[in-house]
């Protein structure tokens, strides 16, 4: 019998769209993927070279449970350079992606029945990490005109003696919106609870810069990793930065459930943080060109972009003037014009009527995909 808790895990709806797209591709159709949330770039060569060197150098054994000290030190240096915050290697857990790091953070702070506040809409996995650790999900509604950012007074209404954490994500998946300093500061005021700040899209920012929650409070868990900024999704490398008092428990959790992240991949991670700046700058400039193009085209077609996305690689477009059932439409779009898009409902009820478009694809494919979409949308205009 399948456990009730396991049954309650929700699936990624975008996977259903991708399965449909793949079925069409097997039949010989040319599908353009604007649904996928991963960089289309190859991992920079300085990084793959570091991994190859590490393998040749026998870096193929377990490492410290919290991660290689050299990598954790490099992460400390990176957070100091980027944000001017002082952290020490004892505050960092390196794991096989940000995903397990987030699960372990939840295990470290939640007892059965403890509550975590998340926004609606938000990245669809958050609720499942909370549930896996025995926690309860408390949703706070957010509004398109405000870039789907929390209203602090709405968070206050949801606080209870069981509230342990508030999840934030900037730049955001699905909206691409970057939180301002003031917005982060107002989140940091909830310092009786922990702020869990998913900073995985940091660095992929096209105006100003993103600020870390650690600039405003120490009572935070930061989730970050290598998948997006360094085009390393398949390497599986990410980390969590936590308040010092969690060092021993995080080490114990990781010893038991993971032992350690891969050694040679961690050496590659050091190269990413210290040697890949030029590669990252190139990718950021290409993403930005695609972002501008996509925004112009979507607006011309009549989609509403309430707050301009200046980070990550997504546009969350309001399609309510055309239709409301985003799930049904995403399937129709892929079937009729062979373009994969992510239905807004994937991110919670607050995303209904929206579509998420990813610009982690070549400009040529984006142009062709949007031409096809324009033909599709034509029937509603
Ligand atoms: N957080 C967000 C907001 C994401 O979009 C993703 C990847 N889709 C992750 C976390 C997980 O990333 P990874 O496990 O590859 O580090």
């Amino acid at each position: 019998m399948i456990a009730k808790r396991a049954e309650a895990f929700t699936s990624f709806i975008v996977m259903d769209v991708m399965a449909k797209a793949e079925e069409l591709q097997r039949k010989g159709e040319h599908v353009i993927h604007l649904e996928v949330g991963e960089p289309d770039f190859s991992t920079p060569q300085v990084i793959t070279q570091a991994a190859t060197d590490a393998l040749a150098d026998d870096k193929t054994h377990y490492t410290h449970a919290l991660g290689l000290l050299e990598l954790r030190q490099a992460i400390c240096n990176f957070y100091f350079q980027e944000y001017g915050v002082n952290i020490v290697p004892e505050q960092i857990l390196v794991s096989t992606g940000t995903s397990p790091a987030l699960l372990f953070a939840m295990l470290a702070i939640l007892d059965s029945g403890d509550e975590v506040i998340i926004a609606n809409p938000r990245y669809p996995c958050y609720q499942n990490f909370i549930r896996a650790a025995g926690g309860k999900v408390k949703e706070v509604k957010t509004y398109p005109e405000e870039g789907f950012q929390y209203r602090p007074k709405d968070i206050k209404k949801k606080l209870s003696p069981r509230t342990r954490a508030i999840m934030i994500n900037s730049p955001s998946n699905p909206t691409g919106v970057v939180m301002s300093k003031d917005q982060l500061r107002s989140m940091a005021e909830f310092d009786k609870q922990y702020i869990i700040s998913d900073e995985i899209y940091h660095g992929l920012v096209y105006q100003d810069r993103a600020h870390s929650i650690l600039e405003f409070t120490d009572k935070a868990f930061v989730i970050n990793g290598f998948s997006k900024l360094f085009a390393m999704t398949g390497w599986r490398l990410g980390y969590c930065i936590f308040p010092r008092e969690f060092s021993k428990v995080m080490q114990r959790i990781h010893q038991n459930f993971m032992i350690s992240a891969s050694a040679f991949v961690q050496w590659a991670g050091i190269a990413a943080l210290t040697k890949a700046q030029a590669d990252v700058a190139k990718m950021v400039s290409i993403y930005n060109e695609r972002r501008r193009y996509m925004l112009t085209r979507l607006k011309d077609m009549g989609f509403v972009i309430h707050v301009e996305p200046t980070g990550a690689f997504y546009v969350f477009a309001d399609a309510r003037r055309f239709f409301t059932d985003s799930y049904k439409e995403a399937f129709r779009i892929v079937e009729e014009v062979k373009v994969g898009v992510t239905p807004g409902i994937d991110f919670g009820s607050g995303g209904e009527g929206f579509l998420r478009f990813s610009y982690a694809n070549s400009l040529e494919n984006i142009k062709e995909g949007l031409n096809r979409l324009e033909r599709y949308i034509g029937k509603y205009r």
Side-chain angles (χ1 to χ4, degrees):
M1 208 165 64
I2 298 168
K4 280 199 199 72
R5 181 163 57 198
E7 284 286 10
F9 293 147
T10 48
S11 67
F12 256 148
I13 296 176
V14 65
M15 293 302 177
D16 302 343
V17 179
M18 273 172 83
K20 185 76 212 171
E22 276 156 20
E23 186 191 314
L24 291 167
Q25 275 169 323
R26 275 196 300 276
K27 288 184 188 154
E29 298 286 359
H30 175 237
V31 179
I32 301 224
H33 293 276
L34 300 182
E35 79 280 29
V36 200
E38 71 169 328
D40 57 312
F41 296 106
S42 303
T43 304
Q45 217 260 331
V46 278
I47 302 173
T48 46
Q49 187 61 51
T52 312
D53 292 349
L55 282 171
D57 198 22
D58 199 27
K59 302 287 199 274
T60 53
H61 300 273
Y62 292 138
T63 68
H64 189 286
L66 290 177
L68 273 177
L69 185 58
E70 291 87 340
L71 175 56
R72 286 183 286 136
Q73 190 57 58
I75 294 168
C76 294
N77 297 346
F78 183 72
Y79 263 73
F80 183 73
Q81 281 159 20
E82 292 291 315
Y83 312 106
V85 297
N86 282 302
I87 49 171
V88 292
E90 293 70 38
Q91 283 178 269
I92 299 174
L93 166 69
V94 176
S95 195
T96 51
T98 62
S99 305
L102 179 54
L103 176 63
F104 299 142
M106 294 295 179
L107 288 178
I109 59 170
L110 297 181
D111 279 315
S112 183
D114 283 347
E115 297 167 1
V116 179
I117 289 178
I118 59 174
N120 179 8
R122 80 273 138 179
Y123 176 56
C125 300
Y126 291 154
Q127 63 246 34
N128 296 318
F129 288 109
I130 298 165
R131 290 181 187 134
K136 274 197 187 149
V137 173
K138 287 279 159 185
E139 285 189 342
V140 170
K141 186 173 157 61
T142 56
Y143 302 87
E145 306 74 33
E146 296 166 11
F148 290 111
Q149 297 301 319
Y150 286 113
R151 289 180 181 173
K153 68 176 169 44
D154 291 346
I155 294 183
K156 272 186 201 138
K157 282 185 215 153
K158 296 274 172 165
L159 292 177
S160 86
R162 301 300 302 263
T163 313
R164 290 290 169 274
I166 299 160
M167 276 265 6
I168 60 172
N169 172 217
S170 162
S172 148
N173 176 7
T175 66
V177 172
V178 181
M179 288 173 81
S180 68
K181 262 179 145 176
D182 282 347
Q183 283 167 330
L184 284 164
R185 201 175 282 121
S186 68
M187 285 300 117
E189 277 166 19
F190 291 97
D191 63 355
K192 287 213 182 69
Q193 292 76 32
Y194 293 106
I195 305 298
I196 306 178
S197 176
D198 182 346
E199 303 188 354
I200 193 166
Y201 290 101
H202 272 226
L204 298 180
V205 175
Y206 314 105
Q207 261 173 38
D208 308 325
R209 49 189 295 276
H211 290 274
S212 172
I213 192 68
L214 294 176
E215 294 171 50
F216 307 99
T217 177
D218 296 336
K219 277 203 75 185
F221 286 73
V222 166
I223 306 296
N224 203 340
F226 296 77
S227 291
K228 314 287 175 171
L229 185 59
F230 301 107
M232 290 176 71
T233 44
W235 294 69
R236 311 309 303 128
L237 189 65
Y239 54 92
C240 175
I241 304 170
F242 43 78
R244 258 180 201 230
E245 61 271 26
F246 283 90
S247 197
K248 284 276 172 273
V249 75
M250 285 304 231
Q251 190 175 345
R252 245 177 10 248
I253 288 173
H254 217 237
Q255 274 167 353
N256 277 280
F257 300 134
M258 227 40 135
I259 302 190
S260 76
S262 320
F264 66 95
V265 170
Q266 293 188 62
W267 284 102
I270 298 174
L273 292 173
T274 57
K275 295 186 183 158
Q277 293 92 332
D279 300 278
V280 166
K282 230 180 269 167
M283 292 189 274
V284 167
S285 126
I286 296 171
Y287 283 132
N288 192 22
E289 188 188 354
R290 298 168 177 177
R291 177 185 75 99
R292 287 171 198 234
Y293 177 80
M294 188 179 260
L295 281 172
T296 308
R297 288 291 307 272
L298 289 173
K299 283 185 205 161
D300 285 349
M301 277 182 234
F303 287 94
V304 181
I305 316 295
H306 294 277
V307 172
E308 182 173 329
T310 56
F313 36 61
Y314 306 110
V315 178
F316 203 48
D318 188 342
R320 287 175 296 181
R321 70 155 60 144
F322 304 127
F323 47 75
T324 47
D325 188 336
S326 61
Y327 184 79
K328 204 166 77 190
E329 291 296 326
F331 277 90
R332 279 200 192 145
I333 293 169
V334 74
E335 273 166 27
E336 288 184 26
V337 294
K338 319 291 183 262
V339 180
V341 298
T342 307
I345 189 71
D346 209 3
F347 307 95
S349 57
E352 186 53 303
F354 283 67
L355 295 175
R356 188 195 71 175
F357 298 93
S358 160
Y359 46 90
N361 202 335
S362 68
L363 197 53
E364 189 191 350
N365 281 339
I366 292 172
K367 280 183 183 165
E368 171 60 19
L370 294 177
N371 288 345
R372 294 182 190 183
L373 184 74
E374 190 160 26
R375 281 203 299 279
Y376 179 88
I377 287 297
K379 70 181 180 190
Y380 289 108
R381 290 204 287 194

